[in-house]
Amino acid sequence: MKVSTTNTYDYQSVLFNKLVSSNKTTEVKSTQDMTIEEYKAYIDDKISKIPFHVSHRKIKEYLTISDEGYWAMKEDPEYEKWVLNHIRENRSVDMSFMTNNPSYLSGEDYEFIGGTKESCHGEGYNNWDSRIKKRCEEKEAERKRQREKQIRKARKRALDKQYFLKQEGIRDLYKRIANKRKEYSRYLNESSLKKEKAERPKSINVTAIRSYESSFVMDMIREMDKIGNV
C-alpha cells in the first residue's frame, strides 16, 4: 500500500535512470516497451502530480494499485486514462462543507485500483472531536433559548400594553357611565317636576322615561363592546 500526498516525489529521475540503456541511449521507451517496474514508476509519477483540492488538507489518501491494475493499464491505454481521470476527480471534490467544521479533525480516504473498473472501489473514514461538536451543539441550543426568551419578552410587552389600554378603556367607560347616570337622574328629576306641574296624561311621561332607560341601556352595551375589542 502506498500513500499519495500533494508533495511530488521525483519519480522522473528514477525512471530516467532505468530507461537509459547500457549503450547510453537516452530515448524514452513507450509504455508498451516498458517493463512492469518501469511502468509502475511511470504511473506513480503521473499520479503524484495530480493535485488535491485545498479542502482535502485534513484528509489523507491511501491509494493501492494491484499488480493486475498496473498490467491492465499498461496493456490498455483507455483503462489507464480512466484510472487517472478517476483519481483526478476524487481529488478535485470540494470537501469544505465537512473539513471547515470546527469539530472535524481528520479523514482517511482509501482507494483501490484493480484490473477492471468493476474491481475498483474506495471508502472513507472521518474523525470528529465529540467535545467540540458537543460545545457547538450547546452553543446552538443556548442561542435557541435566547431567541425564545426574547420572543416571550416581546409577547409579554405586547400583552402588557394591551392590558394597559384595556384598563384605560374600562376607566374611561366608568366615567362615561357615571356621566350618563347623572344625566339620567337629572332627566328623571326634571320629568318628575314637570309631571307635578303639567296637565298631560301620565302615560306620556312613563313612555318617555322607559324610552330613555332603553337608550341608556343600549349605550352601555355599546360601550362595553368597545372595551371588549381593545
Side-chain angles (χ1 to χ4, degrees), residues 100-116:
N100 286 344
N101 190 308
S103 61
Y104 184 84
L105 294 178
S106 63
E108 296 87 34
D109 182 26
Y110 294 89
E111 293 290 334
F112 175 82
I113 304 298
T116 62

Side-chain angles (χ1 to χ4, degrees), residues 5 13 19 44 71 79 105 107 109 118 141 170 174 205 208 224 230:
T5 66
S13 60
L19 295 181
D44 289 347
W71 276 108
Y79 185 59
L105 294 178
D109 182 26
E118 292 73 21
I170 291 174
Y174 286 159
N205 289 331
M224 293 301 293
V230 171

Side-chain angles (χ1 to χ4, degrees), residues 24-133:
K24 299 183 180 181
T25 301
T26 58
E27 182 179 356
V28 178
K29 300 177 182 179
S30 69
T31 56
Q32 297 294 324
D33 297 332
M34 293 179 184
T35 65
I36 190 62
E37 294 302 322
E38 292 171 341
Y39 183 77
K40 286 181 179 180
Y42 166 77
I43 286 296
D44 289 347
D45 179 60
K46 278 186 170 293
I47 291 175
S48 69
K49 292 176 181 177
I50 298 175
F52 289 84
H53 190 276
V54 66
S55 61
H56 289 232
R57 61 189 181 280
K58 295 181 180 180
I59 302 175
K60 194 73 173 179
E61 181 193 74
Y62 295 90
L63 178 62
T64 301
I65 303 177
S66 66
D67 288 341
E68 291 81 2
Y70 281 114
W71 276 108
M73 285 189 286
K74 182 177 182 302
E75 298 299 324
D76 185 357
E78 289 299 319
Y79 185 59
E80 176 191 298
K81 181 179 178 181
W82 180 87
V83 169
L84 295 176
N85 285 337
H86 174 73
I87 296 172
R88 188 175 293 106
E89 289 175 1
N90 284 345
R91 294 182 178 183
S92 65
V93 175
D94 186 352
M95 303 296 291
S96 300
F97 70 95
M98 181 172 62
T99 56
N100 286 344
N101 190 308
S103 61
Y104 184 84
L105 294 178
S106 63
E108 296 87 34
D109 182 26
Y110 294 89
E111 293 290 334
F112 175 82
I113 304 298
T116 62
K117 293 181 181 180
E118 292 73 21
S119 65
C120 298
H121 60 270
E123 55 188 10
Y125 300 93
N126 301 303
N127 302 313
W128 300 83
D129 189 330
S130 58
R131 294 169 299 175
I132 296 178
K133 186 177 182 180

Side-chain angles (χ1 to χ4, degrees), residues 134-193:
K134 185 177 180 181
R135 285 198 294 270
C136 291
E137 291 175 350
E138 289 174 349
K139 288 181 180 179
E140 180 60 29
E142 179 61 24
R143 284 194 291 268
K144 185 178 180 180
R145 285 194 293 270
Q146 290 298 328
R147 288 195 297 269
E148 292 176 349
K149 185 177 180 180
Q150 292 173 357
I151 291 173
R152 287 196 299 270
K153 285 184 177 180
R155 287 176 178 171
K156 186 177 184 303
R157 287 194 297 267
L159 291 174
D160 289 345
K161 183 177 181 181
Q162 185 178 11
Y163 177 78
F164 174 77
L165 293 175
K166 194 166 186 177
Q167 292 301 310
E168 285 289 309
I170 291 174
R171 285 193 289 270
D172 185 56
L173 173 62
Y174 286 159
K175 291 179 182 179
R176 293 198 297 271
I177 290 175
N179 292 332
K180 285 186 177 292
R181 281 177 176 170
K182 288 179 181 179
E183 292 178 4
Y184 182 56
S185 298
R186 187 169 53 251
Y187 173 78
L188 291 179
N189 291 333
E190 291 175 355
S191 298
S192 297
L193 292 174

